[in-house]
Amino acid sequence: RIGQWSAGTRVNLEKAMLPTTRMGGHIVSGHVDGVGTIRKREADARSIRFDVEVPAELRRYIAAKGSVTVDGVSLTTNALTATGFSLNIVPHTAQETTLADLQAGAEVHLEVDVIARYLEQLLGHTQDQRSQITPAFLAENGFWK
């Protein structure tokens, strides 16, 4: 997608959250973790509902009612689907971003939840590293049921 941009292409930019203010959004870094595809777009009351297909290697980082960034806009997912997630774009977001322009088949930049990535590493679910923090350790210490 970024390779298809030219002068005048509209993009979404969000101001960074300041560490001195109340946290009022998702923790995102502005990275692109992968490219997803809009599989379905439909009107849903006053909002636009999208079903987004996500590359298999990124699906484990996405949770229902969790955060995800689509084309630079931090959003909350509605639910998980077999191949990704669904979300609704409310009128304000549709008006202030480029998301209302998206149609089925469009590719979108995705950034997954950074906290999920850190948890994965801490729990030792990476191929190159095994952590001492395991589900058993967390359960023994009252952090996991």
Side-chain angles (χ1 to χ4, degrees):
R1 296 207 358 103
I2 196 168
Q4 299 168 352
W5 293 351
S6 60
T9 299
R10 292 176 55 224
V11 297
N12 301 305
L13 297 174
E14 285 192 60
K15 290 183 177 182
M17 184 171 37
L18 297 175
T20 57
T21 59
R22 181 178 156 265
M23 185 172 161
H26 302 132
I27 301 172
V28 297
S29 62
H31 297 156
V32 175
D33 293 314
V35 175
T37 304
I38 302 296
R39 288 295 171 213
K40 186 176 178 183
R41 174 198 167 122
E42 63 185 3
D44 187 359
R46 293 183 35 216
S47 67
I48 305 167
R49 179 188 168 111
F50 290 106
D51 285 351
V52 183
E53 184 177 325
V54 177
E57 66 273 12
L58 296 180
R59 286 186 205 140
R60 68 179 176 266
Y61 301 112
I62 299 173
K65 303 299 181 193
S67 62
V68 66
T69 301
V70 177
D71 274 357
V73 181
S74 61
L75 302 163
T76 301
T77 63
N78 285 341
L80 300 179
T81 65
T83 61
F85 62 90
S86 66
L87 56 85
N88 281 60
I89 305 301
V90 297
H92 176 77
T93 303
Q95 180 180 335
E96 298 295 324
T97 70
T98 65
L99 299 180
D101 299 336
L102 295 173
Q103 300 297 323
E107 291 185 330
V108 292
H109 290 140
L110 300 173
E111 180 184 347
V112 296
D113 186 80
V114 68
I115 294 173
R117 287 187 173 279
Y118 280 111
L119 282 173
E120 179 181 63
Q121 185 172 348
L122 286 170
L123 291 172
H125 293 286
T126 59
Q127 293 181 17
D128 60 337
Q129 186 178 38
R130 297 312 276 169
S131 172
Q132 299 301 314
I133 301 175
T134 64
F137 172 86
L138 292 173
E140 289 169 12
N141 290 280
F143 295 101
W144 190 296
K145 291 184 181 182

